[in-house]
Amino acid sequence: MGTRGTLGSWPRRGLRLAGGLLTGAGTAVVELVCVAVAGLALLCVRTWPGGWPAARRCVLGAVTAGARRLTEAERRRLARFLGHDIAADYDDRGARQYVAARWSLGLLGGLVLLAVVAGTAYGSLLLWGWFIMRDGEWITITSSAIGGLFLLFLALQGIVGVALLEGQLARHFLGPSHREALRRRIDELSTSRAGVVDAVHDERRRIERDLHDGVQQRIVALGMLLGRARRSQDPDKARALLVQAHEESRAALTDLREVAWRVYPTALDEAGLRAALEAVAERSAIPVRLEYGLTAEPGEAVRTVAYFVVAEAVTNAIKHSGAERITVALTGRETEVGSLGGLLVRVTDDGRGGADPAGGGLLGLARRVAALDGRLRVVSPPGGPTTVSAELPELPELPCA
């Protein structure tokens, strides 16, 4: 993504983070009250003579239910405003501990927002303070404005810091343990490895089918035409057969180039991802609009997968969608703090929709993307439009020429 686009997105990102912290400050007050009431209730049943076990189970069940509801609300807030996706498979103890600890961080976020308001108010004295200045007060106004701007700067940094702490706190209490995270990672790698092996086998079968049904049949027809031309006693007929053989040889060469291009385009290494995608757009039977928003060339593995995502999605749209126009967009996917986090590929067509993510072509793409720890998403409601998007989490490596 270009520098202008990154700078232009900062105000929106800042407002989203501020909205998340403001909402979190409100929920922190609720959580503080709930923690105080729950602690008082548990203290009472613990010191109550005789009825502790049953009363404890009853109160603890109510506290746990309330903690889970508050935790679910916090998960939605973190995902919507702060960009933290927290898994929902946490246990009851983790939910209680998270609610007990989060209220203090929520109140800190509220204090940071108050500091932003105060810094803005004092910093704005440079604009309007001179109109109310009395004799000798210019030093006070100037120093107050400079102090306010400095406070505003620190508070804006504090917004980003608290947003990051929110995610770390949630992952600490709600995320899986280190052992469980390793187990899940091993399962993911095993699944993606098996998917890559299946994708390679599918690709080999597709190449064999293309060669057998396309190039081989044309070469057989070419040989038959040449044989008929050699056996013909009529010069005109032989000449006509040679013309047909020449046309068939050109068609066979075209098919062979198509197969080679689908295996791996040389333009991807020689001219880069943009040139390879422009070639896909030029060869398409449907108008393709390419929106290339990258300022750096991705690494070899990423650009290869990105190319095949676009090529397969465009091919599927041409064959099955009945679309009149296709849009291909590539952008740098940003993290919640504005750093470049990978590559986002999106292919959209205005066809009839109804694409099956489990189909052979899209399933092969999903396996390719998963091999890079990426995610492939297909949205294709009946009636369209169809959007195929792939997130490839790897940083660009080389500067563009």
Side-chain angles (χ1 to χ4, degrees):
M1 180 175 292
T3 304
R4 182 178 301 177
T6 302
L7 294 177
S9 63
W10 264 108
R12 292 192 299 272
R13 186 178 303 107
L15 290 176
R16 188 173 68 249
L17 293 180
L21 295 191
L22 181 61
T23 307
T27 58
V29 176
V30 177
E31 290 162 359
L32 177 59
V33 174
C34 291
V35 167
V37 172
L40 182 61
L42 290 174
L43 180 63
C44 290
V45 297
R46 186 173 181 83
T47 57
W48 191 270
W52 157 242
R56 181 181 182 276
R57 286 194 297 269
C58 180
V59 172
L60 189 60
V63 169
T64 299
R68 292 193 72 92
R69 284 195 290 268
L70 289 173
T71 301
E72 285 300 310
E74 291 295 340
R75 285 182 59 249
R76 291 192 293 270
R77 179 183 67 87
L78 291 174
R80 179 177 181 181
F81 293 101
L82 306 185
H84 300 301
D85 293 326
I86 306 299
D89 55 348
Y90 52 87
D91 55 18
D92 294 340
R93 182 181 180 184
R96 294 194 299 266
Q97 292 176 342
Y98 173 68
V99 172
R102 204 216 71 85
W103 64 267
S104 58
L105 187 57
L107 294 182
L108 176 62
L111 291 177
V112 170
L113 293 179
L114 288 178
V116 171
V117 175
T120 302
Y122 278 101
S124 64
L125 286 174
L126 288 176
L127 300 178
W128 57 271
W130 312 107
F131 298 101
I132 61 173
M133 180 184 66
R134 299 178 182 177
D135 294 338
E137 291 184 346
W138 67 271
I139 297 179
T140 302
I141 292 177
T142 303
S143 59
S144 298
I146 293 175
L149 292 176
F150 185 67
L151 176 62
L152 177 61
F153 171 77
L154 294 179
L156 291 177
Q157 297 298 317
I159 288 178
V160 178
V162 174
L164 293 175
L165 287 176
E166 287 265 23
Q168 293 177 2
L169 183 70
R171 281 187 286 270
H172 176 74
F173 288 108
L174 306 179
S177 64
H178 182 65
R179 182 185 297 272
E180 180 65 17
L182 288 178
R183 186 189 65 79
R184 293 182 183 180
R185 182 58 177 163
I186 291 173
D187 292 340
E188 291 175 359
L189 292 176
S190 299
T191 302
S192 63
R193 183 183 63 180
V196 169
V197 173
D198 292 339
V200 170
H201 289 326
D202 292 341
E203 191 70 15
R204 288 174 177 172
R205 286 192 291 268
R206 184 187 64 80
I207 294 171
E208 180 183 4
R209 185 172 58 252
D210 290 343
L211 291 174
H212 181 272
D213 298 340
V215 179
Q216 179 176 316
Q217 297 300 321
R218 291 195 178 277
I219 293 177
V220 170
L222 174 61
M224 293 176 62
L225 289 172
L226 292 175
R228 291 174 59 190
R230 289 183 59 186
R231 292 189 299 269
S232 177
Q233 302 298 324
D234 186 353
D236 294 335
K237 184 177 180 180
R239 188 179 301 108
L241 290 172
L242 288 176
V243 170
Q244 294 181 32
H246 181 256
E247 294 297 327
E248 197 67 31
S249 67
R250 295 178 58 184
L253 184 59
T254 300
D255 288 349
L256 188 59
R257 286 189 183 132
E258 290 288 340
V259 173
W261 187 271
R262 287 194 294 268
V263 173
Y264 191 85
T266 57
L268 199 57
D269 289 334
E270 295 175 354
L273 178 59
R274 181 166 190 165
L277 295 181
E278 288 175 349
V280 171
E282 293 173 358
R283 297 156 64 90
S284 172
I286 300 176
V288 176
R289 177 184 177 187
L290 178 61
E291 299 175 357
Y292 194 88
L294 303 181
T295 58
E297 183 73 9
E300 181 179 358
V302 173
R303 67 170 176 257
T304 300
V305 173
Y307 168 81
F308 280 108
V309 167
V310 174
E312 184 66 29
V314 170
T315 301
N316 287 344
I318 294 173
K319 291 182 178 179
H320 309 296
S321 71
E324 296 181 356
R325 188 169 186 83
I326 302 172
T327 300
V328 177
L330 281 80
T331 56
R333 183 173 57 84
E334 295 183 352
T335 63
E336 64 273 7
V337 296
S339 61
L340 188 60
L343 178 63
L344 176 61
V345 182
R346 183 179 292 110
V347 182
T348 305
D349 67 72
D350 58 356
R352 65 177 66 95
D356 183 11
L362 293 178
L363 182 59
L365 288 183
R367 290 167 175 168
R368 283 181 179 269
V369 173
L372 295 183
D373 286 340
R375 294 185 298 175
L376 183 78
R377 185 184 181 193
V378 181
V379 179
S380 184
T386 296
T387 300
V388 179
S389 57
E391 297 183 28
L392 304 174
E394 184 180 11
L395 295 176
E397 299 176 356
L398 301 173
C400 285

